Amino acid sequence: MENELYHYGVLGMKWGVRRTPAQLAKSNGKVKRKSEDNAKKSDMKKAVKSRRTLSDADLKKRIERIKMEKQLKDLTAEEISPGKKFVSEVLSSSGKKVATALVTGAVLYGTKAALTKQFDIKELAGYMTPKPKNK
């Protein structure tokens, strides 16, 4: 008689780490949204639809809330680390340069293709890629 037990565990599970009921429900696909969140969303939708019927006081409260949220967003954006700001600026400026080069090349080749009535995808790629500068 064989008394062997084979157990391979749960994929991705670590030894000695227990999963919470929320994590178990998430993996089973049984996660439900909170009814409070749904109620808030439906209230916001109703408020947007019925903004003409709002009283002046209610309208003023909503406007103040939106202004305060915008101010908070602006203030927290200023607290971003200098390194993160630098990286985002470099990426945005280089992205603009790349986009400009691609669009310029596409327009140039589009004009040439329209005049000659010939289209070649390889030639288009040549127009859109930057050409190395020879010194």
Side-chain angles (χ1 to χ4, degrees):
M1 179 177 239
E2 291 185 29
N3 291 332
E4 293 182 19
L5 174 67
Y6 293 99
H7 178 57
Y8 298 101
V10 178
L11 190 64
M13 208 51 196
K14 305 293 182 200
W15 280 100
V17 177
R18 294 186 183 251
R19 292 164 59 179
T20 64
Q23 289 172 326
L24 292 170
K26 187 176 182 181
S27 68
N28 292 336
K30 296 181 182 178
V31 176
K32 295 181 182 177
R33 289 187 176 205
K34 295 180 182 177
S35 60
E36 297 170 3
D37 291 343
N38 291 338
K40 276 186 180 180
K41 285 182 182 179
S42 64
D43 289 344
M44 290 295 286
K45 285 181 183 178
K46 288 177 187 175
V48 168
K49 288 182 181 177
S50 65
R51 63 180 175 250
R52 293 185 192 272
T53 61
L54 289 175
S55 68
D56 290 344
D58 289 339
L59 191 58
K60 196 171 202 171
K61 281 196 303 190
R62 289 187 186 275
I63 290 171
E64 287 299 318
R65 175 66 185 197
I66 292 170
K67 283 182 181 177
M68 289 189 321
E69 286 178 4
K70 186 176 180 183
Q71 285 176 348
L72 177 65
K73 183 181 174 187
D74 293 340
L75 290 173
T76 54
E78 291 175 2
E79 295 175 2
I80 296 175
S81 68
K84 194 171 186 178
K85 276 185 184 177
F86 173 75
V87 169
S88 65
E89 288 173 4
V90 167
L91 289 176
S92 67
S93 66
S94 63
K96 286 177 186 176
K97 288 179 183 177
V98 168
T100 303
L102 288 174
V103 170
T104 304
V107 168
L108 286 173
Y109 184 74
T111 306
K112 179 186 175 211
L115 292 174
T116 61
K117 297 182 180 171
Q118 292 178 352
F119 180 80
D120 182 22
I121 194 78
K122 290 181 182 178
E123 193 174 353
L124 171 63
Y127 270 81
M128 292 177 72
T129 56
K131 292 155 185 65
K133 296 179 181 177
N134 294 332
K135 292 183 180 180

